[in-house]
Amino acid sequence: MRGQLFSLMITILLLGSLLTCVFWHSLNNYHVEPQKLPPHQKNAPHPGLCKGCREVIIKVLEHYSKPWKRQEDNYQKFRSQLRSQCHGDTKAFITQGNTPVGSKIVYDGERKRTLEVTPDIFRTFIKEYPFPNKTFDACAVVGNGGILINSSCGNRIDSAQFVIRCNLPPLAGGYKEHVGIKTNLVTANPSILVGKYQSLIKYRRPFMESLHSYGNSLLLLPAFSFARNTPLSMRVVYTVEDFQSRIQPIFFNPLYLQSLGAFWRSQGLKELRLSTGIMMVSLALEHCANVHLYGFWPFSFHPHDFHTITNHYYDDKKPNKAFHAMPVEFELLMRLHSQGVLRLHLGECGAGEL
């Protein structure tokens, strides 16, 4: 009897997913293929069926209808592969130890362009790796997905030993209950620095005020991904120094990013560039015994009841599809979840999860 009820539930959800395909037009990199509607769908309120709808719904039901269980062997195997190819435990960041004066930095996004490290640039590098030979017990990597709205996950996120946030997300203004406030590392996307803070060329105080909520965390910048990011990142460093902030700017090592891109391509990810989210997940998998992901759901409806959600918990700005393949990344993360390597949180933290 239970088996019949469960089959009926799946059937109802799958039919419901077809009626919600109108929302899938905004899915990141999931293509909507115009097709003729079958006879029984002629009155459906949308012009076409969405490729990939059923597959994702089935996978979510399959992986989240049963309790998650950590599988130590799978975790250790994946972590070993990641470390042996990327060495994120020692090479993820530029330091004065691994990048001396006179060395040449090759931009990972522009392989033909290099930069010689001058004394002025060298002094902006951190002296030592920020957490050498350190394995944190539990880490929370917080994406910015709209799935965090009304999730009540703030306390659970803040209970992690190390919390990573992406692209300077707002934490004040009523978000704390759902996303928390603890921050040990936060990234800054150059597009945010350009669009929101005018590249720090004129008014710098709004930028510094936005950093207050992150306390004395590390501020990770992709200074050497593209040549245009270098002067912008240097302005961030100088601004932080001028305002005597407690936050610590650090730079991604482009050699690490190249290795990381090759690793994920070997796992089936073919996008032009990795998203910040999967970069942070990769760091966490090398540095943390238990990795928990929040806010990683790149679709425009909630998996629990299919209500519409925004792309981010604070706005509905869409990602650059030319660079990132968010749903494909999500499928890889979901696979790691099902293998017990990491844990995806896709429900309300205060009232049970999917």
Side-chain angles (χ1 to χ4, degrees), residues 271-324:
E271 64 182 322
L272 183 60
R273 291 189 66 79
L274 299 176
S275 71
T276 301
I278 203 164
M279 290 178 185
M280 295 303 100
V281 171
S282 303
L283 275 178
L285 285 169
E286 289 205 48
H287 290 92
C288 311
N290 297 277
V291 178
H292 296 259
L293 310 186
Y294 300 85
F296 283 77
W297 178 255
F299 309 125
S300 60
F301 65 91
H302 198 287
H304 182 67
D305 59 7
F306 302 108
H307 70 268
T308 304
I309 56 177
T310 55
N311 188 48
H312 299 136
Y313 68 82
Y314 49 86
D315 69 28
D316 200 27
K317 185 176 181 180
K318 306 304 181 185
N320 189 337
K321 295 182 180 180
F323 282 102
H324 304 312

Side-chain angles (χ1 to χ4, degrees), residues 150-197:
N150 297 323
S151 67
S152 300
C153 287
N155 288 336
R156 189 173 295 183
I157 289 171
D158 286 349
S159 69
Q161 186 180 3
F162 197 86
V163 179
I164 300 173
R165 300 185 187 274
C166 302
N167 298 331
L168 300 177
L171 304 180
Y175 298 124
K176 181 179 178 181
E177 178 185 353
H178 307 296
V179 304
I181 195 167
K182 180 178 179 178
T183 308
N184 299 99
L185 184 152
V186 62
T187 70
N189 191 309
S191 64
I192 296 175
L193 299 174
V194 173
K196 192 172 182 179
Y197 301 107

Side-chain angles (χ1 to χ4, degrees), residues 123-124 168 186 188 193 200 204-205 207-212 214-221 232-251:
R123 77 163 191 84
T124 66
L168 300 177
V186 62
L193 299 174
L200 304 183
R204 302 180 299 164
R205 187 171 297 277
F207 170 68
M208 291 308 304
E209 290 175 349
S210 73
L211 295 185
H212 289 167
Y214 309 119
N216 60 348
S217 67
L218 298 170
L219 175 63
L220 182 55
L221 301 160
L232 177 60
S233 298
M234 294 301 159
R235 283 197 293 275
V236 171
V237 174
Y238 303 147
T239 300
V240 167
E241 290 178 350
D242 288 347
F243 282 78
Q244 299 180 333
S245 173
R246 295 181 298 160
I247 208 161
Q248 174 65 65
I250 60 175
F251 303 142

